[in-house]
Amino acid sequence: MNIKLHYDVPGDDFTRAGEASGLVKRKLKQLGFEPDVVRRVAIAMYEGEINMVIHAGGGEADVEILPDRVTVVLTDHGPGIPDVEQAMQEGWSTAPDNVRSLGFGAGMGLPNIKKYSDTLEIDTKVGEGTALTMTILVKG
Amino acid sequence: MEQGRKSWTVGELAQAMGLETVVEGDSSREITGGYCGDLLSWVMGRAKEGDAWITVMGNVNAVAVAVLADAACILLAEDSPLDDEAKERALSQEVPVLRSGKDTFSLAVELGRLLGR
C-alpha cells in the first residue's frame, strides 16, 4: 500500500479548515488503521491546516499513507516563522483577536503537532513560507 | 438518578441530565469521560476519545474539533448558541450536540457523579 493524497487548503476560510484532515481521517479509518494512529494524524494535520489559514493565507497538504507510517507535508507561502523555538512553546501565539474569539490562538498548534507526531520537521524562511513534515508511525 | 455507571450513551445521558438535544447525531455513542474547555487547540490536545465535551463554543470549528478528537458529544453550557453552519456540520458528521442552561462547573459535577468519579 502506498497511497498519496493532495489537498488545497483555502486561506481565510475557517469553515473549510479541517476538511482535508477530516477526509484523511475517514480514509485511514476505512483502511483499518488503529484508532490511536487515526486520531494522532487527524489532530496534527488539523492544527497544521488551521495554522495555514490563520497565518499564511492557506496552502497545500500532501499525505502519504504507507503500512508502517503516515507522512503529512503542509506547504504554504506565508510570512514564515521568525523564531521557531518560540513558536514551539505552549501558549505563545501571534494569532489576531478575531481568531482568538473563534477559540483558536491558544498557542497550542505547533506543540500539539509535535506531541501527536513521531517526527516533525519545520522548514521555514521569513518572507517565503513554511513547510511542515510530520510523520506518524504505526507501532506494530 | 442512577449513578456511578462506567459509561452512558449520549441519549441516556441527555435523559438523565435533562439536556436539550440540539443535534441528535449518533446518540448511541458511549460516553466514558468528560472534558471542559473553550480553547479549541487546548481541547483537541487533551480531550480523550469518548469524552462528553462541555463548552460554550458553538461554532463550526468546535464541531471539527469534536470529530477529530473523537469526543462522544458536545455539551453546550449556559444555553450557548450553536450557529447555523455548526449545526449543519454536526448533522452531516453525526456529532451529537446537547445543551443546558447550567454552567460548565455544575454540568461537570453532574456528569462526574453519573460516571462515578
Side-chain angles (χ1 to χ4, degrees):
Chain A
M1 175 174 62
N2 181 356
I3 298 169
K4 287 182 177 164
L5 305 166
H6 177 87
Y7 303 95
D8 287 319
V9 178
D12 297 325
D13 188 352
F14 280 97
T15 60
R16 289 190 58 196
E19 266 181 19
S21 34
L23 290 169
V24 169
K25 183 180 181 184
R26 205 173 309 161
K27 185 84 190 161
L28 292 173
K29 256 188 178 171
Q30 281 167 1
L31 291 167
F33 280 88
E34 289 292 317
D36 173 63
V37 172
V38 178
R39 188 169 184 268
R40 287 195 294 136
V41 172
I43 291 175
M45 186 173 167
Y46 181 62
E47 290 285 11
E49 268 192 83
I50 288 290
N51 272 351
M52 291 200 297
V53 176
I54 294 175
H55 299 289
E60 289 171 37
D62 287 283
V63 183
E64 187 178 25
I65 304 169
L66 294 165
D68 66 336
R69 71 185 58 209
V70 180
T71 302
V72 180
V73 182
L74 299 173
T75 315
D76 69 56
H77 302 288
I81 306 169
D83 187 337
V84 173
E85 208 178 306
Q86 197 169 34
M88 290 306 298
Q89 285 172 19
E90 286 191 6
W92 195 84
S93 174
T94 57
D97 283 349
N98 65 326
V99 169
R100 289 175 198 268
S101 69
L102 292 171
F104 292 107
M108 295 298 293
L110 282 171
N112 272 351
I113 295 173
K114 189 161 195 256
K115 179 178 168 186
Y116 283 102
S117 55
D118 290 290
T119 61
L120 169 65
E121 280 171 43
I122 303 174
D123 184 9
T124 185
K125 219 170 198 181
V126 172
E128 288 184 23
T130 300
L132 291 188
T133 304
M134 51 187 98
T135 303
I136 287 91
L137 300 176
V138 180
K139 286 153 190 135
Chain B
M1 197 186 332
E2 193 185 350
Q3 296 191 352
R5 278 162 54 178
K6 277 206 175 115
S7 78
W8 296 69
T9 67
V10 174
E12 287 169 344
L13 189 88
Q15 203 174 10
M17 288 176 66
L19 306 169
E20 175 196 351
T21 299
V22 186
V23 174
E24 189 171 354
D26 181 6
S27 59
S28 64
R29 222 12 238 283
E30 219 178 0
I31 295 169
T32 50
Y35 195 84
C36 306
D38 305 313
L39 291 171
L40 301 184
S41 291
W42 193 280
V43 172
M44 197 156 56
R46 286 170 166 79
K48 294 178 187 68
E49 186 182 348
D51 277 353
W53 171 26
I54 306 171
T55 184
V56 296
M57 276 292 171
N59 61 33
V60 69
N61 305 108
V63 177
V65 167
V67 170
L68 296 169
D70 275 328
C73 67
I74 296 173
L75 171 44
L76 295 169
E78 301 190 65
D79 282 330
S80 303
L82 181 74
D83 68 39
D84 291 344
E85 251 171 343
K87 192 170 183 177
E88 210 173 291
R89 183 77 67 96
L91 279 167
S92 72
Q93 307 255 12
E94 295 201 311
V95 178
V97 182
L98 309 168
R99 181 157 51 204
S100 167
K102 293 177 186 166
D103 64 21
T104 299
F105 176 75
S106 310
L107 291 169
V109 169
E110 246 182 81
L111 176 66
R113 282 194 187 127
L114 287 171
L115 291 169
R117 302 286 174 88

